[in-house]
Amino acid sequence: MASEISQQHPLHVFIFPVTAQGHMIPMINIAKLFASRGVKATIITTPLNAITLSNTIDQDRLSGLDINIQTIPFPAVQVGLPEGMESVNQITSPDMLPKFFLAMSMLQEPFEKLLEKYHPDFIVGDMFLPWTTEAAAKFGTPRLIFHGTNIFSHCVAASLKSDKPFESIMNDKESFLVPGLPDKIEMTISQVPEYIIGSDSLYSKVLEKVRESEQKSFGVLANSFYELESAYADHYKNILGIRAWQIGPLSLRNNDTLDNAQRRNTLSIEEHSILDWLDSNQPNSVIYVSFGSMSKLSSVQLTEIAISLEDSRCSFIWVVRKMTTGEENFLPEGFEERMQGKGLIIREWAPQVLILDHPAVGGFMTHCGWNSILEGISAGVPMITWPMFAEQFYNEIFVTQVLKIGSKVGAEEWKDWVQTTDVSVKKEKISKALTQLMSDGGDENKEMRKRVAELSEKAKSAVKEDGSSYVQLTALIEELKMYNK
């Protein structure tokens, strides 16, 4: 495999993701990306997560990539969590979060033992492992931080944190301008995370440590590409003073060596059946509905969505995650029977990139997690935005106000937890958003589809040789080589 790095003395990177699906998938792709450029990559994870990863990593090694896994035991029982709980996705209540963060902080000592034993040349540490900057410094090792979101959201958060433009606003629904940014960005207080407004919550304290570690780190790796948010990449570097390398979209890393026919030969039976169903539909006729691996909607909210999908008469794929363990009847009675042939309901997990890439898919209703948005952009699919927590309202603003490749479903209030108990968006708003996006007419709709198609081409170009993301990764590798000399 071609490489810009001497095979005699390859660089060695430790990749340490937090054990959450939305963080692990892009960071595993980072490991593959570095390995494809001649860097030895070692993924640090916990024993149960290592078992999950082993099949794909074994395949990567057979293809010639130098990727390995090192495990660190996760002290779940020591902090009062159930035995075998090693992933954020297994957390079922907010009171488990402090224990999980405590357990993650206890990984520092065994991680430093691995650093002492293997002496990697640099580290890519997840944002939620801020102590990896301190650990790396003990060994003179540069640490890059991976946030898992775009640069735009960091610029918005920094402005809100420093200027507090919401302080003079009395009404939760009154909009205000976020100052100092390249575009006119408007928000309401109800969309601003509590940890920005001034909450003394655990998450606020964790993010403060993240910011401190960012200032001391070698720089930031971003799952984005320069053409998508060039003004904010420049703002981040020149105004906020943080170095970043945009090396995405990372989801395209899985598609760079196989064409569609080859990929289809490796699919599971379930994935084949999904693609066969999509093949039976007309181009741009299917709406894909998914709210990520963490979000869990209440039964009453699921009912509103189900009614809207049925009333809209759109063909759909809907990934449904039930709210609580043991809850079986969480869709309206007879809904699945009535939707036979018209809709496909998938429980818990779906091959999202494959679905979005299919020509039958003409829209994506999303929770605005950054992985999902970037996968939608890469596939050239316009979006209906339904943000809930974390930085998702920032991402909605980026999609609807800056890129103008999506429309809002009407969610207005930031949540502090992944699970809802009420109805945040009524069926009337959902139906309206579905009808507007999936209708053929309207100049605005056509322009939106044109814009996202253009961004899709730019995304694919960015990861090709001499593309912006390829070039930025080359520059980073060369700098790290010089650093280690």
Side-chain angles (χ1 to χ4, degrees):
M1 185 172 289
S3 168
E4 295 81 359
I5 300 174
S6 168
Q7 293 302 309
Q8 292 181 337
H9 301 287
L11 290 175
H12 182 193
V13 59
F14 269 14
I15 308 282
F16 199 171
V18 73
T19 52
Q21 186 174 325
H23 286 241
M24 288 194 73
I25 290 173
M27 291 192 75
I28 300 310
N29 282 330
I30 287 175
K32 295 177 181 180
L33 189 57
F34 274 117
S36 71
R37 306 289 290 276
V39 177
K40 178 181 179 179
T42 299
I43 299 163
I44 312 298
T45 191
T46 63
L48 292 179
N49 284 286
I51 294 171
T52 305
L53 290 176
S54 60
N55 285 340
T56 181
I57 298 304
D58 288 345
Q59 291 173 4
D60 292 325
R61 278 203 293 266
L62 287 173
S63 72
L65 299 183
D66 192 355
I67 301 182
N68 298 282
I69 299 174
Q70 287 287 338
T71 61
I72 295 176
F74 192 79
V77 176
Q78 289 175 249
V79 299
L81 292 171
E83 186 174 359
M85 179 174 279
E86 296 184 6
S87 171
V88 174
N89 299 81
Q90 295 173 285
I91 293 176
T92 56
S93 62
D95 63 325
M96 288 182 170
L97 271 177
K99 297 174 182 178
F100 199 88
F101 278 118
L102 175 60
M104 287 195 295
S105 71
M106 292 168 65
L107 302 180
Q108 180 170 352
E109 184 178 346
F111 178 65
E112 289 180 3
K113 289 181 179 177
L114 289 177
L115 291 177
E116 187 173 18
K117 182 177 180 179
Y118 293 99
H119 298 287
D121 297 294
F122 65 105
I123 296 163
V124 179
D126 193 284
M127 63 174 287
F128 287 117
L129 304 172
W131 48 262
T132 52
T133 294
E134 177 188 341
K138 292 180 181 179
F139 298 90
T141 307
R143 181 249 177 160
L144 290 149
I145 185 170
F146 180 73
H147 286 286
T149 189
N150 54 19
I151 290 177
F152 170 84
S153 65
H154 294 297
C155 295
V156 173
S159 176
L160 292 173
K161 191 75 176 174
S162 62
D163 295 322
K164 302 188 185 303
F166 45 79
E167 285 189 331
S168 60
I169 305 297
M170 303 302 293
N171 186 339
D172 281 358
K173 301 298 184 286
E174 181 183 349
S175 63
F176 62 86
L177 187 68
V178 183
L181 298 177
D183 294 295
K184 182 182 178 182
I185 302 301
E186 292 184 310
M187 295 186 72
T188 63
I189 291 182
S190 63
Q191 297 171 329
V192 179
E194 287 182 5
Y195 55 81
I196 291 288
I197 293 175
S199 167
D200 194 33
S201 66
L202 168 71
Y203 197 60
S204 179
K205 293 173 182 176
V206 169
L207 286 184
E208 189 56 42
K209 290 181 179 179
V210 170
R211 281 189 288 271
E212 290 172 2
S213 73
E214 183 181 73
Q215 295 295 332
K216 297 174 183 177
S217 71
F218 192 78
V220 170
L221 283 186
N223 184 15
S224 182
F225 58 102
Y226 184 75
E227 293 81 1
L228 184 66
E229 48 176 351
S230 56
Y232 294 91
D234 295 341
H235 181 89
Y236 199 52
K237 176 184 175 182
N238 299 326
I239 306 301
L240 300 182
I242 300 171
R243 297 204 307 161
W245 292 265
Q246 293 164 287
I247 60 171
L250 292 168
S251 59
L252 295 179
R253 158 99 259 303
N254 293 322
N255 300 341
D256 61 359
T257 57
L258 297 172
D259 62 27
N260 288 329
Q262 287 175 306
R263 283 201 301 275
R264 189 150 187 161
N265 287 338
T266 65
L267 299 181
S268 68
I269 294 173
E270 292 82 1
E271 290 168 330
H272 266 295
S273 65
I274 292 169
L275 293 186
D276 288 343
W277 184 85
L278 284 168
D279 287 343
S280 69
N281 286 272
Q282 295 297 313
N284 293 327
S285 65
V286 176
I287 180 77
Y288 174 60
V289 182
S290 177
F291 299 104
S293 59
M294 293 284 290
S295 302
K296 293 180 175 64
L297 300 179
S298 65
S299 294
V300 286
Q301 183 66 80
L302 291 174
T303 297
E304 296 287 303
I305 296 172
I307 294 170
S308 303
L309 287 169
E310 188 167 1
D311 289 348
S312 73
R313 300 184 180 179
C314 295
S315 295
F316 65 87
I317 293 181
W318 183 12
V319 184
V320 182
R321 290 179 175 84
K322 57 188 176 183
M323 188 171 121
T324 58
T325 304
E327 184 182 12
E328 297 300 332
N329 299 318
F330 50 89
L331 291 178
E333 185 176 353
F335 174 75
E336 293 187 65
E337 291 76 12
R338 292 193 301 275
M339 294 298 101
Q340 284 288 338
K342 188 65 176 175
L344 197 60
I345 296 172
I346 303 174
R347 283 174 166 76
E348 299 304 324
W349 182 85
Q352 181 161 292
V353 172
L354 285 171
I355 291 170
L356 288 170
D357 276 340
H358 196 283
V361 175
F364 180 15
M365 183 180 288
T366 173
H367 67 306
C368 296
W370 182 241
N371 289 338
S372 290
I373 287 177
L374 200 53
E375 287 162 8
I377 289 171
S378 299
V381 178
M383 287 163 251
I384 296 172
T385 57
W386 189 329
M388 300 176 195
F389 62 96
E391 87 293 346
Q392 292 166 8
F393 276 98
Y394 305 154
N395 294 338
E396 177 184 63
I397 290 168
F398 187 57
V399 167
T400 59
Q401 293 185 31
V402 179
L403 301 179
K404 298 179 181 177
I405 56 170
S407 55
K408 299 179 180 182
V409 77
E412 297 179 344
E413 187 176 350
W414 183 86
K415 307 287 186 181
D416 62 356
W417 180 234
V418 299
Q419 188 165 296
T420 65
T421 57
D422 55 3
V423 173
S424 59
V425 184
K426 293 283 190 180
K427 58 182 180 292
E428 292 80 9
K429 286 185 176 180
I430 304 170
S431 295
K432 181 180 178 182
L434 286 168
T435 303
Q436 286 180 340
L437 182 66
M438 300 306 290
S439 64
D440 292 329
D443 291 340
E444 186 176 341
N445 198 329
K446 291 176 182 176
E447 283 299 313
M448 186 163 61
R449 291 186 180 278
K450 180 182 176 182
R451 281 191 291 268
V452 74
E454 290 171 351
L455 287 173
S456 173
E457 292 306 311
K458 290 178 180 179
K460 292 166 185 171
S461 296
V463 298
K464 292 179 180 177
E465 192 166 351
D466 297 329
S468 60
S469 294
Y470 188 98
V471 169
Q472 287 200 31
L473 182 61
T474 300
L476 172 60
I477 291 172
E478 291 301 320
E479 185 172 343
L480 289 165
K481 286 168 63 178
M482 295 303 296
Y483 182 94
N484 282 284
K485 282 184 179 179

